[in-house]
Amino acid sequence: MTSDCDIAESGGRGAARQFPARDFGFDDLDLSWLRAKRGEKWRGCGPGALPASLADMDYPVAPAVREALDAAVRRGDLGYPAWSTWTGANPLAGPFADRMDARHGWRPRPEWVRNVSDLLQALQVLLRLATRPGDAVAVQTPSYPPFLKTIEMMDRRVVACPFERDGGAWSFDAERLERDVRESECRVLLLVNPHNPTGRVLTRAELESLAGIAVRHDLLVIADEIMSDLCHAPHRHIPMASLGVEIAERTITVNSATKAFNFAGLRCAVMHLAPEMVREAFDSYPPDYFGPVNVLGVEATKAAWSEGDAWLAALTDHLRANRDLVAATLAEHAPAIGYDPPESAYLAWLDCRELGLAAEPAQHFREKARVELIPGRAFGAEGRGFTRLNFATSRTVLTEMLHRMADSLTPVR
């Protein structure tokens, strides 16, 4: 097996200099710099292991974001902000509306925007405000593990809307979903688009079928669109609330710059509360009851949305090339692993059911390849036999990960 020193000194099995990324340093990642990170992704992996687990990217902060944060610190501007939830001012309402309009052709109502720390908190708050224990929530599965855990801990029921592999792509059965929604007396549709972990970007026709189900069965729609800035061409994100008045008035759109621009630790997200009942329920609590967003999170978000598009374009080019590198490497060295290249973001949903492993796939790759992945079973019953790999790193590190995994599948002679 290759050591960290081998990667750092030889460039691993795929030299970064052969794969430029528009001068933003996406391939110039030093392993000692990565291992010095204090976040869970790199601190949580074992000695010599390479983490491809949590959905954090390995790259330096976008220049526009870094400059905005540096400027705030240089000003000593970390006191009480000029905006305040007590006065009703929202520093992200206008920037969010402008971003959605410019990027996706949808103009939200700024006065309907409310702030939360992240999308998980948003789901928890919304389930508390709009549902009761025992209510059913339709969820696209496999699903982000903390979403499933939240629904379980809040004593709500999951109605699964499974994605299934069909001819090299992921799709879902809308007729089955409608039947299940009707029979379970479902109250909420949790829509994750682009989807985690499959990477699907839903088409207009798919979204319209879901919108029809929501309207016919009077569902509240919680639309997690946090990956919307990371779609790979030719796929384009379509906001659920942009499909027409009937679906817009029942849709809560949740979004954040933290995923595309990689600053989840700054804890800053927005909700567009179109349903009046939910908006009034949220506003009935004291202004800081659910916790205000922090000053640096606001500064980073505004800079990302207004000045970060050049960096974002280069990032998506790099991620798309990494996505294709995963496909090429697995096809050559581990063809038994099923892989449908994601249409958005940087998460590879790997089908390991044909490998015949004695252990769960993530456990196998942790123990035999020293690569940390997310177990598929954490994403629900549909995730058994799968594992999720985060390829948002340098070509060198990614190539080493993939070769370690492939080598771990080679029978010992």
Side-chain angles (χ1 to χ4, degrees):
M1 286 195 177
T2 308
S3 69
D4 286 357
C5 292
D6 294 329
I7 300 173
E9 294 174 7
S10 71
R13 300 178 183 177
R17 61 180 175 274
Q18 298 174 1
F19 195 69
R22 295 196 195 171
D23 300 324
F24 283 107
F26 299 126
D27 264 322
D28 301 327
L29 303 181
D30 183 86
L31 211 53
S32 62
W33 178 79
L34 290 170
R35 293 206 182 280
K37 286 176 174 283
R38 299 183 179 183
E40 183 180 352
K41 180 182 176 184
W42 279 90
R43 280 295 176 95
C45 69
L50 297 174
S53 49
L54 296 184
D56 280 339
M57 297 185 283
D58 284 345
Y59 312 120
V61 177
V65 173
R66 183 175 63 247
E67 290 165 10
L69 296 176
D70 287 347
V73 173
R74 285 196 304 271
R75 293 193 305 269
D77 221 353
L78 304 181
Y80 291 111
W83 45 267
S84 167
T85 51
W86 285 90
T87 64
N90 187 335
L92 295 178
F96 173 68
D98 292 343
R99 180 67 172 178
M100 294 299 102
D101 190 11
R103 191 85 177 175
H104 306 300
W106 168 53
R107 184 70 188 179
R109 296 274 294 270
E111 66 272 22
W112 291 353
V113 175
R114 303 293 185 270
N115 302 332
V116 285
S117 64
D118 58 25
L119 271 69
L120 183 58
Q121 185 197 35
L123 175 62
Q124 293 165 354
V125 168
L126 293 170
L127 289 182
R128 174 171 180 170
L129 295 178
T131 68
R132 296 175 295 180
D135 282 348
V137 180
V139 182
Q140 295 170 303
T141 54
S143 180
Y144 178 52
F147 282 175
L148 295 177
K149 189 65 174 177
T150 285
I151 295 169
E152 175 190 345
M153 291 187 69
M154 295 185 71
D155 196 24
R156 275 64 173 174
R157 295 177 289 127
V158 169
V159 175
C161 173
F163 274 101
E164 297 176 341
R165 294 185 74 190
D166 180 17
W170 291 94
S171 62
F172 64 92
D173 185 340
E175 291 183 1
R176 170 184 167 178
L177 173 62
E178 182 154 22
R179 182 183 66 248
D180 292 345
V181 162
R182 182 176 59 251
E183 293 176 354
S184 65
E185 299 182 346
C186 194
R187 295 290 306 278
V188 174
L189 169 62
L190 175 58
L191 172 69
V192 180
N193 180 43
H195 186 247
N196 174 7
T198 66
R200 273 299 319 280
V201 178
L202 297 186
T203 65
R204 182 174 295 275
E206 288 173 318
L207 289 170
E208 287 175 344
S209 71
L210 292 173
I213 293 170
V215 170
R216 287 191 294 274
H217 297 278
D218 193 26
L219 301 180
L220 176 71
V221 179
I222 301 174
D224 167 4
E225 300 183 0
I226 197 171
M227 296 287 196
S228 58
D229 272 352
L230 293 172
C231 294
H232 301 304
H235 306 283
R236 294 183 61 86
H237 174 71
I238 301 172
M240 187 66 156
S242 71
L243 294 182
V245 174
E246 280 190 302
I247 188 61
E249 65 187 10
R250 64 178 62 251
T251 297
I252 296 169
T253 303
V254 191
N255 212 325
S256 172
T258 59
K259 190 61 66 178
F261 290 89
N262 203 39
F263 52 84
L266 291 184
R267 317 292 287 177
C268 188
V270 296
M271 305 184 296
H272 183 257
L273 302 179
E276 183 177 9
M277 175 192 70
V278 179
R279 196 166 62 249
E280 290 179 348
F282 185 91
D283 292 344
S284 70
Y285 285 83
D288 290 340
Y289 186 88
F290 299 110
V293 291
N294 72 78
V295 170
L296 293 182
V298 168
E299 291 296 321
T301 297
K302 292 193 299 183
W305 281 342
S306 64
E307 303 173 49
D309 280 346
W311 182 89
L312 183 62
L315 171 72
T316 51
D317 284 347
H318 173 80
L319 294 178
R320 187 162 52 249
N322 271 8
R323 175 197 68 175
D324 297 341
L325 174 63
V326 174
T329 305
L330 293 180
E332 181 177 357
H333 298 287
I337 296 179
Y339 170 60
D340 301 309
E343 298 166 354
S344 177
Y346 49 84
L347 303 172
W349 187 234
L350 303 180
D351 186 350
C352 301
R353 290 175 295 181
E354 299 301 317
L355 295 179
L357 299 176
E360 193 274 337
Q363 179 184 349
H364 169 90
F365 291 121
R366 178 186 304 114
E367 295 175 353
K368 305 297 184 182
R370 294 184 302 158
V371 175
E372 293 283 347
L373 307 174
I374 297 289
R377 53 182 164 75
F379 294 81
E382 292 80 9
R384 293 194 183 99
F386 288 78
T387 189
R388 196 190 75 180
L389 179 147
N390 174 352
F391 55 77
T393 188
S394 71
R395 180 182 177 92
T396 300
V397 172
L398 177 59
T399 300
E400 177 63 19
M401 286 177 180
L402 295 171
H403 279 279
R404 286 186 183 190
M405 292 169 64
D407 290 348
S408 78
L409 301 174
T410 302
V412 178
R413 287 175 165 71

